[in-house]
Amino acid sequence: MQFVDAVKLWEPEPGWLNTASYGVPPRLAFEALQGPLDEWRRGANGWDKWDEATGRARAAFALLVGAMPGDIALGASASQVLAPVAASLPPGSRVVVPDIEQTSNLFPWLVHDFDVQTVPPADLAAAINERTAAVAFSLVQSATGEVAPIDDIVAAARAHGALLVADATQAVGWLPVDATRFDVLVVSAYKWLMCPRGTAFGYLSPAVRDRIRPIAANWYAGEGDASYGPPLRLAKDARRFDIALPWFSYVAAAPTLELLLDIGIGPIHEHDVRLANRFRTGLGMAPGDSAIVTVSKPGSAERLAAAGIRASVRNGGSRVAFHLYTTEADADAALSALT
């Protein structure tokens, strides 16, 4: 689908520059929910009909990140997908994390008896050494929009045999991402993938899956009919890490992800970064490579709000985010409010 035609399927109110908090769904995703919600209200169908959307969502996400569907686990949040990964490291493990990392990729490590080292994002690759058991970082930082030096971090982790864990929540949906470069990649899908809250995906490489204990083992992650009684019979692939999923969230997720595949991440990336740089240039900032811009100007949050611009305050700055449904008029309205 051509980009100019696809964006007509979104109908945000002008001034929505807050996709880094949550994404606006396309009309077809909202419409896909209405029938199942009415069926639920009336008890007209079993849940298995709604659950068909989870297989579609798994397949679509896999294609978006260059992976196989069997390497994708489904969950409800990034931290929940990360929990079994962290729990599988031995006590005392050294884990290196950026010092401004969003806590969904920090608390899962801090809650254990690990030696968690936090360093500035630019120093992350240099901090990885032979004692590092795992490195966990965001491809795009939530607070600043900074895109990580992925090549350097991957090279350092591979050189020292460290488990390589990436949070791509603020990346997948606008930034081209190859999940297979990492051991584990997690995404909360309600932001740039514009799915409902309660949808999350995890890529778990076949090379490390057997090292990770599925501590949330449940019937949904089972092989065949696993509803009652022993023995333990979990799926052989990444589906063993699934949780019993929120049906309706995935009913809307499937058509949204399929639509993104149809549009292509390349045109979305070009559009998002172009608008972000239009905004940055207007403020006298150097061009960047991110769809997220943080403005530290005093009073910026109040001025944006007064102009009807919905944004977020993060780390003391106003965070604005540009996505496929953002227009030049949106960017210029925010710029006018600040200048």
Side-chain angles (χ1 to χ4, degrees):
M1 180 180 293
Q2 292 295 315
F3 184 88
V4 293
D5 296 321
V7 295
K8 298 174 184 176
L9 297 173
W10 277 267
E11 302 168 328
E13 294 185 10
W16 180 253
L17 294 181
N18 207 12
T19 296
S21 289
Y22 77 82
V24 175
R27 184 170 61 250
L28 55 81
F30 179 81
E31 291 171 350
L33 269 176
Q34 305 314 304
L37 288 173
D38 185 62
E39 292 167 353
W40 174 50
R41 180 181 65 84
R42 296 181 293 111
N45 274 307
W47 61 268
D48 49 334
K49 177 185 176 184
W50 310 324
D51 191 55
E52 292 172 0
T54 62
R56 291 169 51 200
R58 192 192 310 268
F61 178 82
L63 286 171
L64 281 169
V65 297
M68 299 297 292
D71 295 332
I72 303 299
L74 304 185
S77 70
S79 58
Q80 171 261 309
V81 179
L82 280 173
V85 181
S88 297
L89 293 180
S93 292
R94 183 176 189 264
V95 181
V96 180
V97 187
D99 57 5
I100 60 169
E101 191 72 6
Q102 211 276 341
T103 50
S104 289
N105 190 25
L106 180 59
F107 284 3
W109 312 101
L110 287 176
V111 77
H112 292 281
D113 183 20
F114 296 153
D115 175 20
V116 178
Q117 303 289 315
T118 57
V119 299
D123 298 337
L124 192 64
I128 301 169
N129 57 34
E130 66 281 355
R131 297 189 298 108
T132 305
V135 54
F137 72 107
S138 289
L139 300 189
V140 177
Q141 281 296 335
S142 172
T144 64
E146 179 183 358
V147 179
I150 297 170
D151 291 345
D152 295 342
I153 297 169
V154 170
R158 296 304 181 214
H160 295 289
L163 186 71
L164 185 55
V165 181
D167 184 343
T169 295
Q170 296 287 4
V172 174
W174 73 269
L175 184 71
V177 172
D178 178 2
T180 64
R181 300 187 67 189
F182 310 97
D183 294 318
V184 176
L185 180 136
V186 299
V187 176
S188 281
Y190 67 93
K191 297 178 185 285
W192 298 91
L193 289 176
M194 300 165 290
C195 298
R197 177 99 165 164
T199 50
F201 300 87
Y203 166 78
L204 295 105
S205 166
V208 303
R209 276 204 298 265
D210 289 343
R211 294 162 49 187
I212 303 171
R213 181 178 299 173
I215 55 173
N218 66 99
W219 70 272
Y220 195 84
E223 196 68 67
D225 183 4
S227 296
Y228 297 98
L232 180 66
R233 47 200 187 278
L234 296 179
K236 301 296 189 292
D237 58 14
R239 198 170 60 79
R240 78 182 75 161
F241 299 99
D242 284 6
I243 63 168
L245 297 166
W247 304 310
F248 304 121
S249 291
Y250 278 88
V251 164
T256 303
L257 298 176
E258 290 164 351
L259 179 57
L260 287 177
L261 281 174
D262 197 15
I263 300 168
I265 297 300
I268 298 172
H269 175 263
E270 187 279 330
H271 174 85
D272 291 8
V273 175
R274 178 177 61 82
L275 286 187
N277 281 336
R278 180 187 182 99
F279 177 74
R280 292 175 65 92
T281 299
L283 289 178
M285 303 168 68
D289 58 358
S290 180
I292 301 172
V293 182
T294 299
V295 180
S296 300
K297 189 175 181 178
S300 59
E302 293 78 10
R303 296 175 71 174
L304 288 169
I309 305 298
R310 280 91 69 211
S312 297
V313 177
R314 294 291 185 274
N315 232 25
S318 296
R319 183 186 69 183
V320 295
F322 302 86
H323 206 11
L324 79 170
Y325 41 65
T326 309
T327 66
E328 291 185 354
D330 292 325
D332 291 347
L335 186 58
S336 178
L338 296 177
T339 56

